[in-house]
Amino acid sequence: MVEGFSPSWLDLREAADHRSCDVGLRMRFAGWMARFARPNILDLGAGTGSNLRRLAPYLGPVQDWILLDHDPAILAAARARLADWADEVALDGEVLVLRCAGAEITVRFLCADLAQGFAGLPRADAVTASAFFDLASEDFVHCLARHVVGQGSGFHAVLSFDGRQEWFPPHQHDAAMLRAFLAHQQGDKGLGAALGSSAQQTLEAAFGQAGYDVAAAPSSWILDREDQGLLVPLAAGFADAAAETGLLAPTVTAAWRAASRERGIVGHRDILALPPLA
Ligand SMILES: C[S@@+](CC[C@H](N)C(=O)[O-])C[C@H]1O[C@@H](n2cnc3c(N)ncnc32)[C@H](O)[C@@H]1O
């Protein structure tokens, strides 16, 4: 049984995710992908397909995607979300064929646990991911980078948590809560001891050392009064994770939970890593 991210949580965050990702890196990625008449893209930890919905409008008239996740329920939700999102939908066996804003997009769903390694994964012109790498270990990132570089593929991963969370109005226990949350982030999430907030640095180092051209940019969530629908469950999830570590007195977590929050910032970063020019 896979411990999961609920599709409803991924739905809640999708708008903030899309508006926060760096437009410059996305455009550079799209420019690089233009060399492929029919690009194929492998999205790791794809969830309900948010990263496809974010990128596909920029990647040309015919595209082939593989959405990989280890959670069959989330992949079923992805199928439904993508069918709703597209202008037209057809099925070719198990493959979803979407028409959206003039593009034809085929989508295959691959239920696989990335803890098993990359050897059996299909080759892709680009490997992408969104809100995934803070779950990964250092070894995992280095193996993945070797795999991607070995295939000469492009790599674009967005929304890796960078360790910053700020709440407004501030609360006396913010700093203690954040320390506990960061400790929780480093627990094993199925891919070895997780990098948490150092995932981005590790990605940049792994692809840089492999000779790739690496660019990075911030993609922080800036959540305002109108984002209460996300802010409230975000703070609750943050408090649950911090409490799970056992590092805090229950009175501290309870006092923090009871406070109301109008705004928040969650730090993220995006990376684009491309093969060096020949
Ligand atoms: C935070 S969610 C992000 C989902 C999606 N990329 C998005 O941005 O909405 C992380 C995703 O990684 C998947 N995942 C976690 N560990 C995995 C593993 N070992 N193998 C494959 N997928 C995994 C989860 O099922 C979940 O869908």
Side-chain angles (χ1 to χ4, degrees), residues 138-164:
E138 186 165 2
D139 266 8
F140 179 91
V141 167
H142 283 282
C143 288
L144 174 74
R146 278 197 295 277
H147 176 77
V148 171
V149 169
Q151 298 192 332
S153 311
F155 178 78
H156 182 37
V158 294
L159 297 161
S160 296
F161 177 55
D162 74 359
R164 284 181 311 128

Side-chain angles (χ1 to χ4, degrees), residues 77-199:
R79 206 173 253 283
R81 300 288 189 282
L82 287 166
D84 284 348
W85 170 77
D87 302 324
E88 285 174 42
V89 191
L91 265 184
D92 179 2
E94 283 298 293
V95 181
L96 211 53
V97 183
L98 310 175
R99 280 202 174 277
C100 198
E104 182 183 304
I105 305 165
T106 68
V107 190
R108 290 174 173 76
F109 298 88
L110 178 56
C111 192
D113 183 354
L114 286 165
Q116 303 304 315
F118 310 104
L121 295 186
R123 195 204 163 271
D125 299 319
V127 174
T128 59
S130 161
F132 174 71
F133 276 98
D134 20 314
L135 306 174
S137 65
E138 186 165 2
D139 266 8
F140 179 91
V141 167
H142 283 282
C143 288
L144 174 74
R146 278 197 295 277
H147 176 77
V148 171
V149 169
Q151 298 192 332
S153 311
F155 178 78
H156 182 37
V158 294
L159 297 161
S160 296
F161 177 55
D162 74 359
R164 284 181 311 128
Q165 282 212 7
E166 293 177 49
W167 305 96
F168 305 95
H171 188 277
Q172 57 167 332
H173 296 318
D174 282 349
M177 293 288 291
L178 181 56
R179 274 195 300 278
F181 180 73
L182 293 177
H184 183 272
Q185 278 246 306
Q186 291 173 334
D188 188 339
K189 312 288 189 309
L191 297 169
L195 284 162
S197 57
S198 57

Side-chain angles (χ1 to χ4, degrees), residues 2-5 9-10 13-14 17 43-51 68-71 74 112-115 129-132 135 159 189-191:
V2 170
E3 261 193 60
F5 289 86
W9 165 246
L10 299 180
R13 54 177 294 170
E14 184 159 330
D17 282 349
D43 194 53
L44 305 178
T48 65
S50 170
N51 214 20
L68 183 153
D69 206 287
H70 65 162
D71 183 344
I74 224 162
D113 183 354
L114 286 165
S130 161
F132 174 71
L135 306 174
L159 297 161
K189 312 288 189 309
L191 297 169

Side-chain angles (χ1 to χ4, degrees), residues 53-64:
R53 288 185 287 279
R54 182 180 75 85
L55 287 169
Y58 306 96
L59 299 185
V62 194
Q63 307 165 28
D64 295 320

